[in-house]
Amino acid sequence: AQSVTQLDSHVSVSEGTPVLLRCNYSSSYSPSLFWYVQHPNKGLQLLLKYTSAATLVKGINGFEAEFKKSETSFHLTKPSAHMSDAAEYFCVVSDQQAGTALIFGKGTTLSVSS
Amino acid sequence: EPEVTQTPSHQVTQMGQEVILRCVPISNHLYFYWYRQILGQKVEFLVSFYNNEISEKSEIFDDQFSVERPDGSNFTLKIRSTKLEDSAMYFCASSVGQGARNIQYFGAGTRLSVL
């Protein structure tokens, strides 16, 4: 069975400092992995996706994530946080063998202070 | 940029009443989904829909739930007799194709409050 664990429910950083949001997954097959972001009163927006191509994936707004099969991790990083990055971030796994449903982590709230 | 639209943004209802949550998927998408997020919990898959049929559903999606595409643009989720525990944020999503490689695009959600 698939599952996703986001290791931090809340991360606080200062503007201009690096961001690290941690995600571990469990999947029986070759997973596809995603990071979605949700700003207040907005829909879930796709930040980036991994689907068995390059293990380092670049997304929008300067975010990137690295797929590490040996560690079953897909951590999200950004070198320098911006105030507009404050939002809820969801790590998501999908398994081609298991159908179309996306499996979400609980989410990490990112706060950015000036 | 095309987006998934959900209405209303907030729905308040009395326990036992029927509610219909509405979604307008992206126009060239063929696969439609409903998810929900109870406050403080994970976003959970409810159902996927293709070619006017349910293609996959979770164990949450019991007989009180139904989905429909009543016309060429709307995709609805009906809850027949709401319970307190149905209070949640409901997200609609759509995708061009199916499978893990297809991106699901989400709406902003409808917050359902059952009193």
Side-chain angles (χ1 to χ4, degrees), chain A residues 4 34 36 43 51 96 100 102, chain B residues 35 40 42 56 100-101 104 107:
Chain A
V4 177
F34 309 83
Y36 281 84
T51 55
Q96 290 199 70
T100 56
L102 298 179
Chain B
Y35 292 79
K42 296 185 180 187
E56 188 180 346
R101 296 174 190 271
Q104 294 183 23

Side-chain angles (χ1 to χ4, degrees), chain A residues 52-93:
Chain A
S52 78
T55 56
L56 182 62
V57 181
K58 294 190 185 299
I60 61 171
N61 301 333
F63 284 95
E64 61 182 40
E66 186 171 8
F67 173 71
K68 291 188 177 180
K69 187 173 181 179
S70 60
E71 298 175 12
T72 60
S73 70
F74 190 59
H75 300 334
L76 182 70
T77 60
K78 182 173 179 177
S80 176
H82 192 272
M83 295 294 286
S84 61
D85 295 328
E88 185 88 8
Y89 291 80
F90 295 95
C91 182
V92 179
V93 66

Side-chain angles (χ1 to χ4, degrees), chain B residues 63-76:
Chain B
D63 290 344
Q64 68 160 163
F65 292 96
S66 62
V67 289
E68 192 179 33
R69 191 154 161 81
D71 53 43
S73 58
N74 288 283
F75 177 53
T76 62

